[in-house]
Each structure stands twice: as C-alpha cells, then as structure tokens.
Amino acid sequence: DALPICEGGVDSGVASLLLEPIVDAENVLPKPGDPIRKSGGDLCNSLGQITKKFPFNPKGVDATVSDFDKVFKPKDGDLWTLYEKSFKTVIDCTSGDCKAVDKAPVQVTPAFLAFFTRAVKCARALYGENGTAPKFQYSLKPKKADWLDGFQIEVNGEQWNTDGDEAKTFSWPGGAKQNFVLALKLKVPVPADNMDGSWAVFRSLEAGHMAPSGAGYDFTRSYVKGGATPLEYTIHVETAAPIFNSGLTSCAPPVAGK
C-alpha cells in the first residue's frame, strides 16, 4: 500500500514512526560529559567511604592510613587516578591550585570545582606533593586559667609539662605508641583524659566544644569536682590539614544535566 500523503509530505504519524530509531539512537549514544559524570560518581563514592569515619565523622570508626592512601595518596589514590582519567580535561591542578580548563569539552560545575579543590588541598596537606604516607603536623596550645596551675600532657609517649599559653608541635599518626594523656595541675595532678589510638588527641578534643579561633580552633572542656560548678579549660589546635572542617562530605555533580 502507498504511504498516506498530505499536501506537505509524509503524514505526521508516519513521520514520527520513521524518526523513532534515530531518536532512540541519539538517546543511547554517549554524551561528551558522560565519562566525567561517571568519574564524579566514582570519586563521590570513594570519598564517602572515608568521610563516614573519624575525624570527618565524630561518630565514625577511626580512619586508617590505608583509608587515606586509597583516596589521597599521590599517583595511586582514587583522587589522582580519576583526575588523570577524566578530570584533567576540565580541571587544571598543576599550578598549586585548581581551576577550570579554558575551552574544555564540557564545563565543570562551580560546585564540583570547589569540592575537587578542597579534596586536592586535603591530599597535599596530608602527603605533600609526592609523599608516600600520610603525615601532618598539628600544634597544641593549652590556655592558662585562673584555677589551674598548668597541664601535664603525653602525646604518643612524649611528655610535656606546661603552665599554658605556649604551643608544641606534634605529628600524626605518630610512632609505635599512639596515645593522649591529660592531667590538670591543681594541688596535685588530676587525671582528665587517657586515650589510645592514632586519633586519641582529636577524639579527646572532639568531646569538648569546638569554635574557630585565629588560624585554628579552640576546644573547651569542663572539669567537675563533686557537685561543684564546672570549671572550663581550653586547648587551641592548629593544623594545615582540613580535618575539622573538610567540606568533603557534600559531593556535587561535575557537569550539568543528566
């Protein structure tokens, strides 16, 4: 039978049927942003495995060196393998910071660029440019209080006695002995905390109230003796590693659309 013909050509219903295979093919053909979109999902999943752990999640189990290696280790970590595989076509991180590539095949979203930049800064703070194991420094500075004569502190087996208002630098994850012991100097030293593990210092601090202060954070805790009014003491912490406010828990789509 002849195709039904209208004055303008092929009947619209028949034309729609004829176009269906073409439209369907266009829908299944890969789009320019598909590889980057998939890599974005892979990175979000990878980071999600570590950000659900301590120190990123105060209620999580401790993140291990292996956990950090899987995501952040230079060259081998998921962050960098996915960068080489996909993201370097839209993001340039070669100059110490990350920026969108000019005339990229697709435009990276500002939210993902900011997210990726934070991840790169975290990696560099933990490993340097070419480190083989995560290591970062942090300083503790107990603050003087009228009711206190000072502090007795042990970090990873290293003893430190201070009257307060002086800082001392330590390294994570520490050596063979990983612990944090704190005693408050009153008439006699009063035990305030005693914890083991690579994150012992930060687990102890996290139990207090955290507030931004200068280039770091103040952690304030209370000492209570009997039914007396709680007495507060504060330890100031500074580190280049963004472990207290990483901004890595909220992933974003790398490119617009679906």
Side-chain angles (χ1 to χ4, degrees):
D1 293 336
L3 289 174
I5 302 294
C6 300
E7 289 185 3
V10 179
D11 179 83
S12 60
V14 175
S16 177
L17 290 172
L18 292 173
L19 287 172
E20 274 186 4
I22 300 174
V23 174
D24 289 343
E26 289 177 343
N27 288 334
V28 298
L29 287 173
K31 297 180 177 62
D34 283 351
I36 295 171
R37 191 176 289 107
K38 182 182 182 306
S39 291
D42 291 342
L43 180 60
C44 290
N45 290 334
S46 179
L47 280 164
Q49 295 303 306
I50 192 170
T51 54
K52 69 181 181 183
K53 299 182 178 182
F54 190 91
F56 303 105
N57 178 6
K59 297 182 179 179
V61 299
D62 286 359
T64 65
V65 169
S66 296
D67 291 328
F68 281 99
D69 282 346
K70 184 181 185 308
V71 181
F72 297 110
K73 187 175 182 179
K75 297 182 180 179
D76 300 328
D78 292 344
L79 176 69
W80 300 112
T81 57
L82 290 170
Y83 175 74
E84 291 295 328
K85 177 183 177 181
S86 300
F87 299 133
K88 68 186 304 181
T89 62
V90 294
I91 300 175
D92 178 13
C93 293
T94 59
S95 60
D97 201 357
C98 297
K99 60 182 180 180
V101 171
D102 291 335
K103 299 180 181 179
V106 293
Q107 189 67 39
V108 64
T109 63
F112 185 81
L113 177 60
F115 172 81
F116 193 84
T117 299
R118 289 192 295 269
V120 167
K121 287 182 177 179
C122 184
R124 288 173 173 163
L126 291 167
Y127 290 85
E129 288 296 327
N130 297 294
T132 57
K135 181 180 180 181
F136 67 88
Q137 291 187 325
Y138 60 94
S139 65
L140 301 179
K141 183 180 180 181
K143 295 188 176 183
K144 287 184 176 180
D146 293 340
W147 60 277
L148 264 177
D149 294 328
F151 304 80
Q152 287 184 352
I153 296 174
E154 180 181 332
V155 176
N156 300 332
E158 184 177 352
Q159 305 281 342
W160 179 34
N161 284 278
T162 176
D163 295 335
D165 289 350
E166 63 176 331
K168 187 173 178 64
T169 300
F170 302 93
S171 294
W172 185 92
K177 185 175 183 179
Q178 298 174 330
N179 72 324
F180 177 66
V181 181
L182 172 64
L184 306 175
K185 291 182 181 179
L186 301 174
K187 292 182 179 179
V188 294
V190 176
D193 217 339
N194 190 334
M195 305 184 74
D196 293 320
S198 62
W199 293 107
V201 173
F202 301 94
R203 284 281 190 188
S204 176
L205 296 172
E206 189 273 330
H209 172 72
M210 183 180 78
S213 176
Y217 294 88
D218 282 347
F219 290 86
T220 301
R221 298 190 62 180
S222 298
Y223 167 73
V224 182
K225 183 177 181 180
T229 302
L231 300 171
E232 293 186 338
Y233 62 94
T234 299
I235 297 179
H236 181 77
V237 183
E238 292 189 10
T239 178
I243 58 174
F244 298 121
N245 186 19
S246 69
L248 298 179
T249 55
S250 299
C251 201
V255 293
K258 296 182 179 180

